[in-house]
């Protein structure tokens, strides 16, 4: 059985969520927001958060595929099966191009170890692929992977924009003691992980080497 090591958050997500300027009241620059009618200020309400990406962001670094990749995974956004042991984990994020544009219909193929640190090499347990939506967003429902000798906790993924080269890489968890000893660990691939009453929530945005 794998070690049950504590998780820590506190790693800042590489792509911050900011409030968009869309939907703001059209008030002349010479007029302050406080001068707008109270009724208009009331109707405006909170702005909807939107993802931000900066032109020139470094592309997501690749990593080795490892020995446990298996082609032909089923298309599904949830890898969890009823009764599966492990801490629930939801990973969300966006896929961007180098020009900071969201990549729609990008392929993401995930695979990982189970709670006990084992890979299913006969079937497709904890394996699956999905596609980003029109805004480049993806959501994965899975569990926190277990540990096995020589590695820290990680999730494998292949990401591909339509008709473009494939990025093969791995995602990591902050605060893992084995991050210091895993030869493959790359802090640029750390997810932002938060705890909650029903599991953990993680975020990570990919930047692909496409225009």
């Amino acid at each position: 059985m794998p070690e049950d090591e504590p998780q820590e958050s506190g790693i800042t997500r590489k792509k911050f969520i900011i409030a968009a300027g869309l939907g703001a009241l059209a008030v002349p620059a010479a007029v302050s927001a406080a001068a707008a009618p109270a009724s208009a200020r009331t109707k405006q309400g909170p702005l909807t958060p939107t993802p931000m990406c900066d032109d020139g962001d470094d592309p997501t670094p690749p990593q080795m595929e490892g020995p446990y990749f298996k082609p032909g995974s089923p298309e599904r956004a949830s890898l969890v099966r009823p009764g599966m042991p492990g801490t629930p984990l939801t990973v969300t994020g966006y896929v961007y191009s180098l020009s900071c544009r969201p990549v729609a219909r990008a392929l993401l193929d995930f695979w990982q170890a189970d709670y006990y640190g084992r890979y299913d090499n006969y079937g497709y347990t904890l394996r699956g692929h999905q596609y980003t939506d029109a805004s480049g967003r993806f959501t994965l429902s899975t569990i926190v992977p277990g540990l096995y000798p020589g590695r820290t906790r990680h999730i494998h993924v292949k990401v591909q924009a339509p008709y473009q080269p494939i990025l093969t890489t791995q995602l990591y968890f902050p605060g893992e003691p084995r991050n210091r000893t895993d030869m493959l660990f790359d802090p640029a691939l750390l997810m932002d992980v938060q705890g909650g009453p029903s599991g953990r929530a993680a975020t990570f945005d990919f930047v692909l080497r496409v225009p």
Side-chain angles (χ1 to χ4, degrees):
M1 181 175 293
E3 304 170 25
D4 190 10
E5 297 170 339
Q7 303 290 315
E8 297 176 9
S9 59
I11 302 298
T12 304
R13 185 183 180 185
K14 296 182 67 178
K15 308 296 179 296
F16 294 97
I17 302 301
I18 64 170
L22 299 178
L25 293 173
V27 180
V31 181
S32 67
S39 59
R41 296 199 302 271
T42 302
K43 290 179 180 179
Q44 180 181 355
L47 297 176
T48 302
T50 58
M52 184 186 76
C53 175
D54 295 322
D55 281 343
D57 274 353
D58 292 335
T60 302
Q63 290 215 314
M64 64 179 293
E65 179 182 280
Y68 301 120
F69 174 69
K70 184 178 180 181
S73 70
E75 182 177 349
R76 56 190 177 190
S78 177
L79 308 184
V80 181
R81 292 182 177 178
M84 176 179 288
T87 301
L89 172 69
T90 300
V91 183
T92 59
Y94 292 83
V95 177
Y96 292 108
S97 68
L98 286 175
S99 59
C100 200
R101 297 178 181 176
V103 180
R105 295 293 295 170
L107 169 68
L108 297 104
D109 194 350
F110 295 95
W111 73 101
Q112 66 172 82
D114 65 11
Y115 173 79
Y116 303 104
R118 302 174 305 200
Y119 288 85
D120 179 8
N121 296 317
Y122 300 97
Y124 289 95
T125 301
L126 292 172
R127 298 174 183 269
H129 71 271
Q130 60 177 281
Y131 297 89
T132 56
D133 63 16
S135 65
R137 182 177 173 84
F138 70 91
T139 299
L140 174 72
S141 297
T142 184
I143 62 168
V144 175
L147 293 164
Y148 57 91
R151 294 303 315 275
T152 189
R153 297 186 202 273
H154 61 280
I155 297 174
H156 295 270
V157 59
K158 289 179 179 287
V159 189
Q160 182 186 26
Y163 310 109
Q164 297 295 325
I166 298 172
L167 166 69
T168 300
T169 192
Q170 302 178 40
L171 302 180
Y172 295 98
F173 294 77
E176 289 287 334
R178 291 194 186 184
N179 288 351
R180 299 188 295 269
T181 58
D182 190 324
M183 298 293 291
L184 295 177
F185 171 74
D186 185 342
L189 295 169
L190 279 168
M191 297 182 289
D192 179 9
V193 182
Q194 304 294 329
S198 58
R200 295 194 173 99
T203 55
F204 190 88
D205 296 335
F206 297 92
V207 178
L208 302 182
R209 291 182 180 274
V210 297

